[in-house]
């Protein structure tokens, strides 16, 4: 038995220590002996007076005014956690046997993801370690520079000083040591050991300086920080897992495989690359063989043929009488998709294609909305307006999302809500890191198109300080070979100045400006004239980042590159190089001394990835150096700051690969036995105050049997209607809460024997450790042990029944707060 725990107790709170025990009772409540029962006996509850009416007014008022009691605090915490995690509608329940089947599917997916990782690493020449198949974010000590911040998994955050030879105590041969400075001294560890335990300390913003360095003499503070990060990771994994399980549970009939699909595919004018053929096959299998809605990522560099994959999926779905929605981040890209789709489907007069955009008049929009609702449009193309509440689909079957990372948080949540009911195909050259990570770990299907078309030539990337002479030289080179030029700035302000400068330098060349604030017709006309070649130089914002496919535009100039994100720069660079001519991307920064380390690292990564087909690897790199708020949402940013991005992601990978171990299986509420001999008696004054006391008590039991939220709603409604309940009613409610929380945690029985409290449970020892590790109170962490399928706590005193129930309530409330870290099927 573990060290004994002792108790400080008051009716609303209890505190455990491990060395001694004192009892500080407040007003003593009488106990009413009655037969042991885990259900509420109505006659016992209603047929006697309690001391409620005899309490001094001062104590009665104090108790009634204490609105933030233990039950209220628990309700608030559960609601807060639920609101933080769940923006989607409540997901239907899933029984244990069904969950087993789906979790096994997830494990198979993960194995495929790991195999993909290993094969990718093998292609990149990474050494294969059979003993460690998982992906690692650990840092190579030789790549560190003096002053870099690092994280030692067991010690914490320090500052790298350097690598030097030193002689170990038990040897005469000097070996290389890594020297790391901590808050209270210098540490050294052999290079081999450092490569297993060190991570680079990256933060999700420009500054990489941690709040404080860790202490060698006290690792407990670091352990708390690491555990906080681990719990945050586990909550995220559970959210992903539950969404994935829910999607697997959704069913739709497979689409028919028809000869018309092969005929449509034969109209593709190019010879598909091997990767394209695989992507075609993957999507066709998802649609025609699987009963689960598709959620596939097509990751391919610009111009590698992602659109054709989407067109074939659209044809399959629309031929079966369903609607397809094509979602693009900008109207420029939406218009191009509309043109491509309209041309490709022109041979099929029965398939109607529509474009919903801000370029249309109000009456045109209303007409389109009516057509979408009535099913008179089969393929709908547009921007985020397609996600609005006013758009009602007649029979939506497929959602195609182009460049998901360009959408805002609310739009991404709306896209996610579609994923449980319709087939979803996401196209991206640089997927958001979250998408990438799910693809790698098998939570999401991904098809990679990394082989370029045969005629494609790599884009030459030039990164240098801005000068007018360099700009003029680059533009002149392109114009002399008959090409066109993109000139991109980060903001609308400054476009006119560049226009003035270029008109002086190239007086006989047609130049135009394009940005998102222009009148719709003007913007559309400008884009079409540039595509035709009437305009030779287009000065613009990043509105051209996605989609523009202009064969003869083979030079792009990007000014003030430090103001662009890495994914943006990669996409902008992809606007050129669509033909067989060598393309050039000139990236200009104002002065290197003005650039942050963050910006310099982004640009260096872009230059390194100048080969074709590097978008996927670029996104992997981008994951560690780009704003973390775009990945998992702002609320996780603080948790990452505790340990740094690299260790955070490695913990995420570990947690994803062990997701089946972090599962709690609830027990039916009626089967949960609370073997505590306590049945409170309500005061007659309160009974007379209630309209129908027996019905209210029955309703309380029924609410508890449904779920915790129904019980919370019942309690809050009771207090709203009748005010704060007397202490005996509070005890009665706590019994219901205890049984409800215990059932949800997989606890089938709670009993007390002398000073021992025992809880019989179906949870594993690993789940128990995860729960106690994530508990916010050290008190319960230190007092509970797990042995022989039971959670146990030994107190130094045998407590009165009411006080014992209060302790159990507080204990379970603490354990219950860990439920978001567990799969609950």
């Amino acid at each position: 038995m573990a060290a004994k725990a002792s108790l400080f107790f008051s009716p609303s709170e209890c505190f455990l220590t491990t060395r001694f025990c004192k009892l500080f009772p407040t007003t003593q409540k009488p106990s009413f002996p009655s037969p042991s029962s885990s259900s509420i006996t109505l006659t016992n509850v209603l047929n006697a007076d309690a001391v409620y009416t005899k309490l001094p007014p001062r104590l009665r008022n104090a108790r009634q005014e204490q609105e933030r009691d233990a039950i209220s605090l628990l309700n608030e915490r559960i609601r807060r956690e639920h609101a933080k995690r769940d923006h989607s509608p409540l997901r239907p329940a899933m029984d244990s046997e069904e969950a087993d089947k789906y979790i096994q599917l997830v494990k198979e997916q993960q194995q495929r993801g790991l195999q993909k990782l290993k094969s990718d690493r093998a292609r990149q020449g990474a050494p294969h370690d059979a003993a460690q198949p998982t992906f690692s974010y650990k840092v190579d000590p030789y790549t560190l520079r003096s002053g870099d911040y690092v994280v030692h998994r067991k010690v914490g955050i320090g500052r790298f000083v350097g690598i030097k030879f030193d002689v170990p105590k038990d040897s005469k041969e000097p070996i290389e040591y890594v020297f790391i400075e901590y808050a209270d001294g210098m540490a050294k560890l052999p290079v081999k050991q450092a490569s297993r335990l060190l991570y680079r300390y990256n933060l999700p913003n420009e500054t990489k300086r941690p709040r404080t360095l860790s202490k060698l003499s006290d690792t407990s503070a670091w352990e708390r920080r690491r555990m906080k990060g681990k719990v945050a990771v586990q909550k995220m994994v559970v959210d992903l897992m539950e969404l994935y399980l829910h999607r697997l549970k959704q069913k739709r009939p497979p689409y028919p495989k028809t000869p018309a699909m092969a005929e449509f595919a034969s109209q593709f004018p190019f010879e598909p690359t091997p990767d394209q053929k695989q992507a075609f096959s993957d999507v066709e299998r998802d649609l025609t063989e699987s009963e689960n809605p598709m959620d596939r990522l097509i990751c391919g560099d610009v111009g590698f043929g992602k659109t054709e994959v989407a067109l074939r999926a659209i044809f399959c779905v629309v031929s079966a009488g369903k609607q397809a929605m094509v979602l693009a981040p900008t109207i420029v890209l939406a218009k191009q998709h509309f043109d491509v789709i309209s041309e490709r489907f022109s041979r099929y007069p029965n398939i109607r294609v529509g474009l919903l955009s801000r370029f249309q008049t109000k009456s045109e929009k209303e007409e389109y909305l009516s057509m979408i609702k009535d099913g008179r449009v089969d393929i709908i193309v547009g921007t985020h307006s397609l996600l609005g509440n006013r758009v009602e689909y007649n029979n939506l079957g497929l959602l195609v999302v182009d460049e998901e990372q360009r959408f805002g948080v609310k739009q991404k949540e709306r896209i996610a809500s579609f994923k449980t009911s319709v087939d979803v195909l996401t196209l991206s050259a640089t997927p958001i890191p979250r998408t990438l990570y799910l693809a790698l770990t098998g939570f999401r299907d991904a098809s990679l198109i990394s082989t370029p078309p045969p005629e494609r030539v790599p884009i030459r990337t030039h990164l240098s300080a801005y000068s007018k002479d360099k700009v003029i030289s680059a533009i002149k080179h392109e114009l002399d070979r008959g090409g066109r030029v993109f000139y991109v700035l980060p903001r609308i302000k400054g476009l006119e100045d560049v226009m003035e400068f270029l008109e002086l330098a190239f007086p006989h060349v047609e130049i135009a400006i394009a940005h998102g604030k222009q009148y719709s017709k003007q913007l559309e006309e400008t884009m079409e004239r540039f595509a035709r070649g009437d305009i030779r130089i287009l000065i613009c914002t990043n509105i051209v980042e996605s989609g523009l496919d202009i064969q003869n535009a083979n030079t792009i100039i990007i000014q003030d590159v430090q103001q662009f994100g890495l994914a943006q720069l990669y996409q902008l660079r992809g606007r050129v190089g669509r033909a067989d001519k060598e393309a050039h991307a000139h990236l200009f920064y104002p002065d290197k001394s003005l650039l942050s380390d963050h910006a310099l690292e982004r640009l260096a990564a872009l230059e390194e990835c100048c080969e074709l087909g590097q978008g996927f690897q670029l996104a992997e790199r981008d994951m560690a150096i780009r704003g973390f708020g775009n990945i998992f949402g702002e609320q996780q940013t603080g948790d990452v700051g505790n340990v740094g991005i690299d260790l955070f992601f490695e913990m995420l990978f570990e947690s994803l690969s062990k997701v089946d171990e972090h599962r709690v299986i609830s027990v039916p509420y009626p089967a949960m036995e609370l073997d505590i001999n306590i049945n409170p008696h309500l005061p007659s004054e309160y009974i007379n105050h209630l309209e129908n006391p027996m019905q209210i008590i029955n309703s309380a039991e029924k609410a508890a049997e449904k779920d915790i939220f129904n019980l919370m709603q019942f309690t809050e409604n009771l207090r709203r209607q009748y005010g704060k309940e007397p202490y005996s009613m509070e005890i009665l409610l706590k019994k219901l809460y205890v049984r409800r929380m215990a059932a949800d945690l997989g606890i089938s029985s709670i009993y007390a024997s002398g000073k021992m409290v025992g809880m019989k449970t179906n949870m594993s020892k690993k789940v128990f450790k995860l729960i106690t590790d994530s508990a916010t109170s050290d008190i319960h962490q230190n007092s509970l042990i797990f042995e022989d399928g039971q959670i146990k706590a030994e107190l130094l005193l045998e407590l009165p029944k009411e006080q014992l129930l209060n302790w159990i309530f507080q204990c379970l409330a603490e354990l219950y707060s860990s439920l978001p870290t567990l799969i609950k099927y």
Side-chain angles (χ1 to χ4, degrees):
M1 179 58 67
K4 291 187 177 181
S6 56
L7 189 74
F8 293 105
F9 178 80
S10 73
S12 61
E13 290 182 283
C14 53
F15 305 94
L16 287 173
T17 68
T18 52
R19 296 201 177 269
F20 54 90
C21 176
K22 295 181 182 178
L23 191 62
F24 293 98
T26 57
T27 306
Q28 185 67 39
K29 303 288 183 298
S31 58
F32 298 90
S34 60
S36 171
S37 173
S38 60
S39 62
I40 301 167
T41 309
L42 298 181
T43 52
N44 287 344
V45 170
L46 301 176
N47 67 4
D49 281 349
V51 293
Y52 178 74
T53 55
K54 299 177 184 177
L55 282 174
R58 178 177 59 82
L59 291 176
R60 271 181 71 184
N61 293 338
R63 178 162 295 283
Q64 286 176 327
E65 289 169 5
Q66 189 187 10
E67 289 299 328
R68 291 178 60 80
D69 63 337
I71 291 177
S72 295
L73 290 170
L74 175 64
N75 288 355
E76 284 176 22
R77 183 159 67 176
I78 291 172
R79 284 197 192 286
R80 191 165 56 243
E81 189 61 48
H82 183 72
K84 212 189 299 180
R85 298 174 62 240
D86 201 352
H87 301 287
S88 58
L90 284 175
R91 296 160 192 162
M94 183 182 294
D95 63 45
S96 177
E97 193 174 318
E98 196 177 16
D100 282 336
K101 182 177 72 174
Y102 291 136
I103 287 173
Q104 184 57 38
L105 280 174
V106 171
K107 293 299 289 181
E108 290 170 9
Q109 285 278 78
Q110 288 178 331
Q111 289 305 311
R112 286 199 289 272
L114 289 172
Q115 283 300 120
K116 187 184 295 179
L117 254 182
K118 283 194 275 190
S119 63
D120 285 352
R121 296 189 74 199
R123 280 202 302 271
Q124 295 164 20
H128 174 64
D129 183 358
Q132 189 176 0
T134 56
F135 189 75
S136 173
Y137 280 91
K138 297 178 183 71
V139 67
D140 178 354
Y142 293 106
T143 63
L144 293 169
R145 292 177 295 184
S146 181
D148 284 352
Y149 291 98
V150 293
V151 180
H152 187 292
R153 190 159 189 148
K154 295 180 180 177
V155 180
I157 301 169
R159 188 186 290 109
F160 175 74
V161 176
I163 299 176
K164 297 177 185 176
F165 279 96
D166 202 357
V167 180
K169 290 180 181 178
D170 54 352
S171 172
K172 294 181 180 179
E173 291 292 323
I175 63 170
E176 282 187 303
Y177 282 93
V178 174
F179 286 80
I180 303 171
E181 178 190 354
Y182 288 94
D184 56 350
M186 187 78 69
K188 67 175 185 179
L189 64 161
V191 168
K192 282 187 179 179
Q193 189 181 342
S195 63
R196 293 196 305 270
L197 294 170
L198 285 187
Y199 303 81
R200 193 182 293 277
Y201 184 80
N202 288 317
L203 278 184
N205 49 42
E206 297 280 330
T207 60
K208 295 186 180 180
R209 186 181 296 276
R211 293 189 296 270
T212 179
L213 297 182
S214 302
K215 290 184 178 181
L216 290 166
S217 58
D218 180 17
T219 58
S220 61
W222 163 249
E223 188 57 31
R224 283 193 298 272
R225 287 178 69 172
R226 192 178 71 84
M227 190 51 61
K228 193 174 179 184
K230 185 178 178 180
V231 169
V233 161
Q234 186 60 25
K235 287 180 180 178
M236 287 159 45
V237 169
V238 168
D239 281 348
L240 297 175
M241 183 69 172
E242 290 187 344
L243 179 66
Y244 192 84
L245 289 179
H246 181 49
R247 190 172 70 81
L248 286 174
K249 193 177 180 182
Q250 304 307 303
K251 301 292 181 187
R252 54 110 177 97
Y255 289 95
K257 201 171 183 177
T258 63
M261 291 167 60
E263 183 191 337
F264 182 83
S266 69
Q267 296 163 18
F268 185 50
F270 306 102
E271 176 62 29
T273 62
D275 283 355
Q276 255 186 317
K277 288 179 182 176
Q278 184 61 52
F280 295 152
S281 173
D282 290 342
V283 171
E284 186 177 296
R285 190 171 58 250
D286 288 346
L287 292 173
T288 62
E289 297 178 19
S290 173
E291 292 185 340
N292 305 119
M294 172 177 69
D295 182 15
R296 181 168 291 275
L297 167 69
I298 305 295
C299 182
D301 230 318
V302 286
F304 279 27
K306 299 186 297 294
T307 306
E308 178 62 21
V309 180
L311 289 173
R312 296 188 186 189
I314 290 168
F315 184 83
C316 174
V317 170
V318 171
S319 299
K322 297 264 191 177
Q323 291 175 308
M325 183 201 330
V326 180
L327 194 62
T330 66
I331 191 57
V332 171
L333 181 53
K335 178 68 167 61
Q336 183 174 347
H337 277 309
F338 173 73
D339 292 340
V340 169
I341 293 169
S342 297
E343 183 183 347
R344 190 68 195 280
F345 282 83
S346 59
R347 299 186 187 186
Y348 303 90
N350 295 331
I351 296 176
R352 293 144 300 185
V353 185
L355 174 68
L356 190 67
S357 79
R358 61 184 173 86
F359 287 3
Q360 293 158 335
T361 64
K362 187 175 181 182
S363 60
E364 286 175 328
K365 280 184 183 176
E366 292 298 329
E367 175 62 19
Y368 262 118
L369 289 173
S370 172
M371 290 170 70
I372 292 168
K373 185 177 180 180
D374 297 341
R376 288 178 285 144
V377 176
D378 302 292
I379 305 169
I380 306 101
V381 186
T383 58
H384 61 272
S385 59
L386 291 179
L387 300 172
N389 294 328
R390 293 193 62 212
V391 186
E392 295 181 51
Y393 296 92
N394 180 272
N395 192 12
L396 186 64
L398 175 68
L399 168 62
V400 178
V401 185
D402 199 0
E403 303 301 342
E404 186 181 352
Q405 74 273 14
R406 299 280 306 280
F407 291 94
V409 173
K410 286 184 179 178
Q411 281 91 37
K412 285 177 186 170
E413 285 176 5
R414 184 84 173 103
I415 291 168
S417 71
F418 277 102
K419 291 185 179 181
T420 56
S421 56
V422 302
D423 292 273
V424 178
L425 191 63
T426 305
L427 312 178
S428 186
T430 309
I432 53 175
R434 176 174 182 268
T435 310
L436 169 68
Y437 212 86
L438 297 185
L440 289 180
T441 50
F443 267 81
R444 177 135 184 227
D445 296 317
S447 299
L448 308 185
I449 304 178
S450 56
T451 47
E455 69 278 4
R456 289 293 293 276
V457 180
I459 303 165
R460 289 192 62 187
T461 304
H462 314 269
L463 176 64
S464 61
Y466 175 84
S467 82
K468 288 185 177 180
D469 290 341
K470 287 180 183 176
V471 169
I472 291 170
S473 173
I475 294 175
K476 188 174 184 303
H477 175 267
E478 185 59 43
L479 295 179
D480 286 348
R481 61 179 186 169
R484 278 158 272 170
V485 179
F486 287 103
Y487 196 119
V488 183
L489 281 84
R491 290 187 300 269
I492 294 174
K493 184 182 178 183
L495 294 178
E496 295 286 351
D497 294 339
V498 172
M499 177 87 162
E500 192 177 317
F501 156 57
L502 292 182
E503 281 179 336
L504 288 172
F506 302 97
H508 304 298
V509 174
E510 187 71 23
I511 304 170
I513 286 176
H515 58 77
K517 299 291 185 184
Q518 286 176 326
Y519 289 114
S520 53
K521 296 295 182 187
Q522 180 189 357
L523 178 60
E524 190 173 356
E525 185 184 329
T526 300
M527 293 301 183
E528 287 179 359
R529 289 181 63 212
F530 184 61
R532 287 198 307 265
D534 299 341
I535 294 169
R536 303 287 302 281
I537 303 173
L538 184 67
I539 306 166
C540 52
T541 58
N542 66 340
I543 191 171
V544 299
E545 178 182 329
S546 300
L548 281 181
D549 191 353
I550 297 171
Q551 293 291 314
N552 209 24
N554 284 305
T555 292
I556 186 166
I557 291 167
I558 306 173
Q559 190 173 314
D560 289 332
V561 285
Q562 75 281 2
Q563 295 186 32
F564 291 93
L566 186 54
Q568 279 184 312
L569 289 173
Y570 197 81
Q571 293 287 353
L572 285 167
R573 197 187 67 156
R575 294 308 100 217
V576 297
R578 298 294 183 102
D580 54 359
K581 290 181 182 177
E582 184 177 59
H584 296 268
H586 296 269
L587 314 182
F588 291 113
Y589 52 85
D591 187 317
K592 234 171 187 175
S593 62
L594 300 176
L595 289 185
S596 66
D597 291 343
H598 186 65
L600 284 170
E601 192 173 354
R602 280 205 306 257
L603 298 171
L606 191 72
E607 276 206 313
E608 288 171 21
C609 291
C610 62
E611 298 86 5
L612 290 174
Q614 294 293 303
F616 198 66
Q617 288 84 348
L618 178 68
E620 177 86 32
R621 174 99 177 248
D622 195 13
M623 184 155 40
I625 56 178
R626 179 162 150 219
F628 191 79
N630 293 332
I631 306 173
F632 289 103
E634 295 299 332
Q635 66 194 41
Q636 272 84 27
T637 303
D639 301 315
V640 181
N642 284 316
V643 296
I645 290 176
D646 287 2
L647 178 54
F648 190 85
F649 271 114
E650 183 149 303
M651 290 194 297
L652 175 59
F653 196 99
E654 290 171 356
S655 189
L656 282 168
S657 63
K658 297 175 182 174
V659 72
D660 57 327
E661 298 176 6
H662 301 145
R663 180 180 172 201
V664 63
I665 301 172
S666 63
V667 299
Y669 177 84
M672 195 281 136
E673 296 179 3
L674 178 60
D675 192 10
I676 304 293
N677 192 5
I678 178 172
N679 278 290
H681 293 64
L682 297 185
S684 56
E685 181 184 286
Y686 188 66
I687 291 171
N688 295 333
H689 185 44
L690 302 176
E691 287 179 15
N692 190 335
M694 293 189 72
Q695 185 181 340
I696 286 173
I697 301 300
N698 265 325
S699 298
E701 184 80 40
K702 285 177 182 175
E705 189 168 344
K706 283 183 181 176
D707 58 40
I708 192 75
F709 291 102
N710 271 280
L711 180 56
M712 288 161 53
Q713 190 68 53
F714 170 84
T715 305
E716 287 160 2
N717 288 342
L718 181 73
R719 291 177 171 183
R720 200 174 293 120
Q721 189 167 353
Y722 299 107
K724 179 69 173 69
E725 71 279 351
Y727 182 68
S728 52
M729 184 65 181
E730 184 182 318
I731 290 293
L732 187 150
L733 289 172
K734 281 184 176 177
K735 283 188 69 175
L736 296 175
Y737 270 91
V738 163
R739 291 186 64 210
R740 181 69 265 170
M741 289 190 289
D744 289 346
L745 287 163
I747 295 169
S748 57
S749 171
I750 299 177
Y751 64 92
S753 177
K755 294 178 288 184
M756 172 68 71
V757 177
M759 306 180 194
K760 294 177 183 176
T761 178
N762 60 28
M763 73 175 66
S764 67
K765 194 164 187 175
K766 285 182 179 176
V767 167
F768 171 76
K769 186 174 187 316
L770 183 66
I771 286 177
T772 50
D773 282 348
S774 59
T776 54
S777 165
D778 291 341
I779 299 160
H780 293 103
Q781 277 182 340
N782 298 333
S783 67
L784 300 174
I785 63 165
F786 186 90
E787 70 180 23
D788 301 328
Q790 295 191 51
I791 300 169
K792 295 180 180 178
E794 186 178 4
L795 311 176
L796 289 182
L797 289 179
E798 184 176 347
L799 296 176
K801 301 300 182 186
E802 288 181 2
Q803 295 176 2
L804 179 62
L805 181 71
N806 272 310
W807 181 84
I808 292 170
F809 176 90
Q810 292 286 357
C811 181
L812 286 178
E814 190 64 46
L815 298 183
Y816 202 82
S817 68
S818 305
L819 262 189
T821 65
L822 300 166
I823 302 293
K824 292 165 283 297
Y825 297 130

